[in-house]
Amino acid sequence: MATKRDFYEVLGVAKNASDEDIKKAYRKLAMKYHPDRNQGEDAKAKEAEAKFKEVKEAYEMLSDAQKRAAYDQHGHAGVDPNMRGGAEGFGGFGDAFGDIFGDIFGGQGRGGRGGGRQVFRGADLSYAMEITLEEAANGKDSQLRIPSWDACDTCSGTGAKPGTSAKTCSTCHGQGQVQMRQGFFSVQQTCPQCRGTGKIIPEPCGTCHGQGKVKKQKTLEVKIPAGIDDGMRIRSAGNGEPGTNGGPPGDLFIEIRLKKHSIFERDGDDLHCAVPISFTKAALGGEIDVPTLGGKAAIDIPEGTQTGKQFRLRGKGIKGVRGSYPGDLYCHITVETPVKLTEHQRKLLKEFDESLSKGGGKHQPSGESWTDKLKGFFGG
Ligand SMILES: [Zn+2]
Ligand SMILES: [Zn+2]
């Protein structure tokens, strides 16, 4: 802070200058260095911008009777919050200057590592991961490419162009917050100049554009637990975006999306699958193979099995993330009507049909009740 110029010197006025003189001097200099009149990216524009800020700060201090008094008495330490450490020795200083300073000093305990500046937790990131049913059932070690932020090598994380340095924000004096006075009230809000960081970088680093950090990719090892289901989220603490002013990073959430399976449909820990069988197999019965996640299994189809019949294979479902037992596999039978018959097959079926009709409907399990229902419906 030793390099900070005297406010009176900045405005080019005497120590005993009147309020009016201070105002005049400020207007003149502000016009001269105003960013609107000094546009461009060159050194001259940068210098004008820095001067403009310096002038503005000096005026803000000297145009306020309380701040001017503090400055006259204690110099920069009286008004510069970066000098807070020494301010305690002044005793009763906060009280003497009312709410403006009172709040600044009162806020000393707040914000932890960030000093008095506003500390923000980083944003959470979310990532959707599509996995197969098999992966969900068995678990999976997965690698994720996620964005990460590293301190910028060019500026060593300061955000300032090498050879230059960040300056304390003159609007909020490094607090990151400003007092907006509305009548009797003073409202604290994030400094619009530095957006709460408390620092202004006159010449930003070209690599990170003043961010002090660069976005990179990193590989994250993620363990997908066995039994995980569609829509479940895995939290990876601290792998979200970095915080501001030393605030903690956010978390990364991995949301699981289950790919559609060609055979199985999942319902919690249970699995369902459709099993088509020929009508002769359905009529005669016999053993058939059915698929399970662990390979083939055999089930015995009894004689005269109908479409819609379910067979439950205990324990052939999925063991949930918190489950102790695996669910079941339900095989739903559909009896298929044969198609593309040869002449010979047609003949056989006709003969077969004739023999069935001699049985008087007893070969159709729902035949009689169906005929009765129709009679009732037509009033016959
Ligand atoms: Zn600021
Ligand atoms: Zn940089």
Side-chain angles (χ1 to χ4, degrees):
M1 284 303 117
T3 56
K4 196 160 183 163
R5 285 173 71 203
D6 176 63
F7 288 145
Y8 292 97
E9 193 187 313
V10 169
L11 292 179
V13 294
K15 293 248 187 241
N16 58 2
S18 69
D19 287 352
E20 195 54 38
D21 287 343
I22 287 171
K23 204 174 196 172
K24 266 189 201 157
Y26 167 68
R27 274 195 186 147
K28 210 175 116 199
L29 292 167
M31 290 272 271
K32 187 176 169 191
Y33 296 122
H34 197 277
D36 286 353
R37 292 173 163 232
N38 296 274
Q39 282 175 346
E41 290 301 312
D42 54 345
K44 215 175 143 219
K46 289 260 157 60
E47 201 195 310
E49 195 193 357
K51 277 259 174 27
F52 179 71
K53 280 178 189 156
E54 197 181 23
V55 164
K56 201 168 153 231
E57 185 190 5
Y59 177 67
E60 270 164 12
M61 284 301 153
L62 299 185
S63 61
D64 184 308
Q66 288 177 344
K67 290 182 190 177
R68 187 176 175 183
Y71 181 70
D72 285 347
Q73 204 177 343
H74 307 291
H76 285 301
V79 288
D80 194 326
N82 284 324
M83 304 296 279
R84 266 180 312 182
E88 283 159 4
F90 295 139
F93 187 66
D95 288 340
F97 293 102
D99 62 353
I100 298 169
F101 290 92
D103 274 356
I104 291 171
F105 291 105
Q108 207 163 356
R110 189 169 34 89
R113 281 160 64 194
R117 293 173 288 139
Q118 278 193 302
V119 171
F120 297 106
R121 182 179 175 272
D124 288 337
L125 288 177
S126 91
Y127 184 95
M129 186 192 269
E130 237 192 5
I131 59 170
T132 64
L133 183 65
E134 287 85 349
E135 289 167 343
N138 302 322
K140 184 193 181 190
D141 287 326
S142 196
Q143 292 191 328
L144 265 189
R145 297 285 289 164
I146 60 160
S148 73
W149 287 261
D150 282 355
C152 173
D153 287 336
T154 311
C155 62
S156 313
T158 63
K161 193 169 161 181
T164 73
S165 59
K167 293 192 164 43
T168 301
C169 172
S170 59
T171 306
C172 63
H173 314 292
Q175 287 291 297
Q177 294 189 328
V178 284
Q179 297 282 333
M180 297 297 289
R181 303 211 67 181
Q182 293 171 339
F184 291 109
F185 301 101
S186 76
V187 183
Q188 200 166 50
Q189 60 172 228
T190 302
C191 173
Q193 192 75 22
C194 62
R195 293 192 183 83
T197 61
K199 285 202 174 352
I200 290 289
I201 298 166
E203 290 188 72
C205 161
T207 308
C208 62
H209 309 287
Q211 297 281 300
K213 59 194 179 184
V214 284
K215 202 170 178 176
K216 288 190 176 155
Q217 293 270 308
K218 74 171 175 189
T219 305
L220 191 70
E221 305 280 339
V222 184
K223 216 173 170 57
I224 307 294
I228 199 154
D229 205 350
D230 191 64
M232 286 181 173
R233 298 206 303 175
I234 299 165
R235 180 163 154 258
S236 178
N239 277 312
E241 290 195 24
T244 304
N245 290 333
D251 296 334
L252 172 73
F253 288 93
I254 301 155
E255 190 177 324
I256 296 298
R257 308 244 172 96
L258 219 52
K259 280 186 198 160
K260 208 172 155 56
H261 197 275
S262 59
I263 292 171
F264 301 108
E265 215 167 282
R266 182 174 178 176
D267 176 21
D269 295 347
D270 293 333
L271 291 175
H272 296 263
C273 73
V275 179
I277 59 172
S278 71
F279 90 119
T280 45
K281 176 72 79 180
L284 302 172
E287 203 181 77
I288 59 162
D289 281 338
V290 291
T292 75
L293 279 182
K296 276 184 197 168
I299 52 176
D300 259 323
I301 300 286
E303 243 183 76
T305 293
Q306 304 295 326
T307 282
K309 172 91 183 162
Q310 287 181 28
F311 293 94
R312 182 167 74 160
L313 279 73
R314 280 183 188 275
K316 296 289 183 190
I318 289 172
K319 193 160 113 179
V321 177
R322 284 174 207 88
S324 335
Y325 301 101
D328 304 326
L329 168 64
Y330 291 87
C331 297
H332 301 258
I333 300 295
T334 34
V335 177
E336 291 203 295
T337 306
V339 295
K340 293 177 180 169
L341 300 176
T342 62
E343 271 313 304
H344 181 60
Q345 286 162 339
R346 276 171 192 278
K347 200 167 153 264
L348 286 175
L349 271 185
K350 276 179 185 160
E351 276 172 38
F352 177 63
D353 188 47
E354 268 166 41
S355 87
L356 285 183
S357 60
K358 281 174 193 154
K362 69 175 178 188
H363 303 296
Q364 285 178 271
S366 55
E368 273 174 57
S369 60
W370 173 241
T371 316
D372 290 345
K373 270 186 213 163
L374 285 187
K375 275 184 189 157
F377 182 70
F378 293 119

